[in-house]
Amino acid sequence: MSPESNYSQNLKVKTIDILSGKLIVVLNELDAKELGVLPLERVELTNPRNKKSVNAVLDITDTMIGENEIGIFKDVHKILSTKDGSIVQVRPSGKPRSIEFIKKKMDGYKLNQDQLKQIVNDIASNKLSEIEATAFIAAVYMKGFDLEETVFMTKALIENGKTLEIPNATVVDKHSIGGTNGRATMIIVPIIAAAGLAIPKTSSRSITSASGTADAMEVLANVSLSLNKIRQVVEKTGGCIAWGGAVELAPADDKIIKIEYPLSLDPEGQVIASVMAKKASVGAKFVVIDLPVGPFVKVHSRDSAEVMALKFIEVGKKLGIKVEVVITNGSEPSGRAFGPNLEAKYALEILEGKFFDNLGQKSVELAGALLELTGHVSKGKGFEKALNILESGEALAKMKEIIRAQGGKIVSSDQIGKAKFKKLFVSRHSGEISSINVGLLNKVARIAGAPSHKKAGLMLNVEQGSKISKNKVLFEIHAENKRKLDAAYDFAMRNQIVSLKRIILEKFS
Amino acid sequence: MSPESNYSQNLKVKTIDILSGKLIVVLNELDAKELGVLPLERVELTNPRNKKSVNAVLDITDTMIGENEIGIFKDVHKILSTKDGSIVQVRPSGKPRSIEFIKKKMDGYKLNQDQLKQIVNDIASNKLSEIEATAFIAAVYMKGFDLEETVFMTKALIENGKTLEIPNATVVDKHSIGGTNGRATMIIVPIIAAAGLAIPKTSSRSITSASGTADAMEVLANVSLSLNKIRQVVEKTGGCIAWGGAVELAPADDKIIKIEYPLSLDPEGQVIASVMAKKASVGAKFVVIDLPVGPFVKVHSRDSAEVMALKFIEVGKKLGIKVEVVITNGSEPSGRAFGPNLEAKYALEILEGKFFDNLGQKSVELAGALLELTGHVSKGKGFEKALNILESGEALAKMKEIIRAQGGKIVSSDQIGKAKFKKLFVSRHSGEISSINVGLLNKVARIAGAPSHKKAGLMLNVEQGSKISKNKVLFEIHAENKRKLDAAYDFAMRNQIVSLKRIILEKFS
């Protein structure tokens, strides 16, 4: 860090009402020159009233912001607790130390606990730019983490964030790697809570699928809960389903995930560290991990799933967490619904006992595995116990409690609203269904508007192995506007979503 | 690409007067939802009047920009030729095809010509985000380019940009890899032009050093020349020294360099492709590459310099360019000046015959190598010929011609302005100078304000091997304001810039 960085200016804040998803500030050209900083370089801002500080990326203007002023975007205001007219101290950020460690990893060296900690802290505090953080993730993808590095990374992620403590409770958690639809969590959490265990579940919003668990739960209740509110809800009801993005359990991890997404980079070591850090942060001592394997989900082969499973268990041991990984059949959709409202309704219907299908089966199996893992029931008795809680209506009653504790009002599947438009997609041939492409179904639901339009989505009417006749309805597309409905339908027409069994695979003549 | 991307909106432009160094547009939340795009995703903008289009990154606001409006930053205006109140068509950009190829490179596969072309085109047209482009550079750094890939990359960079043609001329060029100070180019170009060859030199501005050649030349003349203007200047005078950033010779390369910089990532294959693409783009058929080797420059060992040299020559062959690589002594500064004004003055003084030192020697040797390479003089006669052109005053006369052709007025070293403040840095001990850290000298000059403050910088008063007494002036720091002068002095005090020879290396007791 150069001595330059000791020099700071006091500038008057002018709000720029833009939500950019990044921490950006704007300086007048004159002030930027005086500070010796260029566009895209980073400056450190401090609010002298509360000593809160933040590193932000610099843009430069010569008209919009006057001399001795600083334009700050909304996201920066939030962190500093500043407002229009506040005074902030601004100085050039030094070059973060972790750059040296990133370079080491790129050159194939192993990183130690302190080095990974520094990288995680610099990512979380925005000291590393997107370019630098991407180079790190790319290095982890290409060079890998060994078991020790994975554990160090996990610990660094945990220590960097906040943690939840629920006193006098057996805290458990579940996680699904790359699950795509169905929302088993909304069935498992009430079963587990009804059984007397504590399950403070934080879930994500959709990135590539039609709905995340947080998106579906939001149809019923508020999911943007503070850590304090999560504790209250769990102490009262035993469970909650909150949006992980609203709490700062592992803030560096959220930034890493944003970087992994555009290239679908999921370095195995990082995925394990990321999942385990979040589980440890909520204080879970028993964790069941659902690892679906199939052609259209993240993990394609049993072999690689088994390798990953063993690593999860090892990392768990080092953190004092008992982990069970269950490899599940990911070749079929989990239930028929795609999209927030449709998935929320579907999960509630299972809790209401209206039907019991492969999603119900999976949820009860996973809940049963958790009950056995904690020793709450003896080996082999988990499924029966979980099924009993579901069938007796205890799980539904518990779900209603949780929804109300999270400030929700919708407690019955009948209350969930439907989309304005619907279009049926029918088969063009008759035959037996050999495969259903879950990725494409998600895509159709997204083009129809999900998850932004909560009511938009797709309902599947058939399953693998079904024998269908020509013109049979394969799925219904739901949308909030006509254009999106048509676009989704067109996309479905142009892609092979449902495949029929073929005897003649190729013809020569 | 999803069918979604066929949907576009016509929106009214509202200018946001921010220079962000990136292409950014701001949409109202309602319009963004309608288009189905999220913050940080990319949209394609088209100006319907001239069909110009550009890919930009999206920010979102709910107040600053109204419905049916789009806020666009200055950089976007420039490309589209739009203004406040214009109408632009906006649609979501599809996922670029090159992402798949980047992933392939990360997984260790070799890329073919078409794939590298696609990556280069998508970087140049801003279709790849910073994250995606960084992943590519990181992959090239970690997996390397073989010779064939280097050639493909070079060709892709050339084809993506514009090219210069100077009819009826022997076009030559020189390039220095990681040179740090001195500006040999400003001496070589007039020698070569005076000899009757054409040398359309494009140079860079400083990134980490106290001055780039473009910064120093700008003290004397205009360096932001269009391709057309470069052609005119060279046709008239035989040479020019322009800023490469102002012409679109290899626009993707400029973006790649911006990504390489923060992590000092210089994958060898990419460095070669980058240099050779720029040389080929100006139509050079003979190129001398100066590869300084030393502890404080980019290349540290003779061995790695030789490996790199052979690759340069091979790639040159495939492009029809005769390349000579000269490995030079990079362990000492090239001349005594650091900073734009000081370096420009120093180079002019050598051309004026006021002195002849190691910078003069290096420049004449390199010019001589170029003359021999083209066959302009016979082997072994290059140095003598070049020295003669310098000593006879022909090179100075040519430099004055070039300066005037580039719209400059300063043609004598006496006309160059000096900084307001100066501070002497003296030795604290007597002894013999064993090494001088060029990197730290650059740093001192930068803290003093160079290159933003053109007059700021540093003049070195000693050289390696000098025997000095205590309180001898080692260097002078020049600055435009007192604060920067003191900061630079403090930094120099706290660092070992000039090392004295030691007999006792360590003591035990």
Side-chain angles (χ1 to χ4, degrees), chain B residues 411-460:
Chain B
V411 291
S412 151
S413 62
D414 303 333
Q415 296 169 287
I416 296 175
K418 286 186 180 156
K420 282 197 200 106
F421 301 94
K422 196 165 96 171
K423 199 162 180 169
L424 306 179
F425 191 92
V426 302
S427 62
R428 282 164 279 182
H429 306 281
S430 57
E432 182 185 330
I433 294 177
S434 64
S435 82
I436 297 171
N437 188 323
V438 185
L440 289 176
L441 287 176
N442 269 301
K443 185 94 189 175
V444 172
R446 279 179 78 88
I447 296 173
S452 300
H453 294 174
K454 289 201 170 286
K455 294 173 185 167
L458 181 146
M459 279 301 284
L460 189 63

Side-chain angles (χ1 to χ4, degrees), chain A residues 17-275:
Chain A
D17 184 22
I18 296 179
L19 194 71
S20 70
K22 283 190 191 175
L23 301 175
I24 293 175
V25 296
V26 185
L27 282 181
N28 183 288
E29 225 175 336
L30 289 163
D31 289 315
K33 279 211 170 135
E34 176 60 23
L35 281 167
V37 282
L38 299 170
L40 295 192
E41 288 190 342
R42 277 150 295 165
V43 289
E44 186 185 286
L45 274 64
T46 308
N47 179 347
R49 285 171 174 270
N50 57 18
K51 302 290 170 210
K52 283 182 187 174
S53 71
V54 68
N55 288 279
V57 173
L58 180 69
D59 284 352
I60 290 182
T61 175
D62 50 10
T63 55
M64 228 178 89
I65 299 296
E67 217 180 329
N68 300 318
E69 274 185 352
I70 181 166
I72 74 174
F73 282 38
K74 275 174 148 184
D75 318 63
V76 178
H77 263 319
K78 271 191 207 163
I79 296 170
L80 293 177
S81 311
T82 43
K83 54 181 190 218
D84 216 64
S86 296
I87 296 295
V88 288
Q89 281 166 3
V90 184
R91 58 173 204 146
S93 301
K95 194 167 180 165
R97 252 190 82 210
S98 51
I99 285 184
E100 182 192 321
F101 309 141
I102 293 174
K103 201 76 187 292
K104 265 189 79 173
K105 187 73 206 167
M106 296 184 92
D107 289 335
Y109 296 98
K110 215 184 121 160
L111 297 181
N112 67 30
Q113 183 150 15
D114 286 344
Q115 291 163 341
L116 282 165
K117 210 167 147 176
Q118 188 74 50
I119 292 172
V120 165
N121 291 347
D122 287 347
I123 289 175
S125 64
N126 203 34
K127 275 185 197 152
L128 284 174
S129 72
E130 224 165 52
I131 287 177
E132 292 148 358
T134 303
F136 173 64
I137 301 301
V140 177
Y141 178 82
M142 285 185 262
K143 302 289 181 183
F145 269 157
D146 68 11
L147 199 71
E148 207 180 13
E149 284 176 302
T150 305
V151 173
F152 292 157
M153 185 71 191
T154 311
K155 285 183 177 167
L157 290 170
I158 298 165
E159 284 168 23
N160 180 263
K162 295 178 180 165
T163 48
L164 182 71
E165 272 173 59
I166 315 258
N168 312 316
T170 305
V171 181
V172 306
D173 207 344
K174 62 80 64 174
H175 191 91
S176 184
I177 307 282
T180 54
N181 77 315
R183 314 284 66 95
T185 296
M186 293 172 74
I187 301 163
I188 296 169
V189 167
I191 293 176
I192 294 297
L197 302 171
I199 182 161
K201 185 81 190 77
T202 62
S203 295
S204 58
R205 292 191 185 279
S206 152
I207 300 183
T208 52
S209 66
S211 172
T213 296
D215 301 307
M217 185 65 184
E218 201 173 34
V219 173
L220 311 177
N222 178 22
V223 294
S224 296
L225 309 182
S226 67
L227 213 54
N228 211 23
K229 181 71 184 175
I230 291 177
R231 186 184 305 106
Q232 285 171 18
V233 171
V234 176
E235 280 178 349
K236 193 172 171 189
T237 70
C240 81
I241 302 171
W243 173 41
V247 283
E248 297 216 300
L249 288 169
D253 188 52
D254 297 337
K255 293 189 182 182
I256 289 170
I257 287 170
K258 268 191 199 164
I259 286 169
E260 290 171 334
Y261 163 60
L263 285 147
S264 321
L265 286 187
D266 296 300
E268 190 184 74
Q270 183 54 42
V271 168
I272 294 171
S274 161
V275 169

Side-chain angles (χ1 to χ4, degrees), chain B residues 121-133:
Chain B
N121 291 347
D122 286 348
I123 289 175
S125 64
N126 202 35
K127 276 186 197 150
L128 283 175
S129 73
E130 223 164 54
I131 287 177
E132 292 149 357

Side-chain angles (χ1 to χ4, degrees), chain A residues 313-327:
Chain A
I313 291 163
E314 277 306 305
V315 173
K317 270 183 195 156
K318 308 254 181 193
L319 299 168
I321 298 175
K322 213 168 165 188
V323 174
E324 182 164 86
V325 181
V326 296
I327 296 176

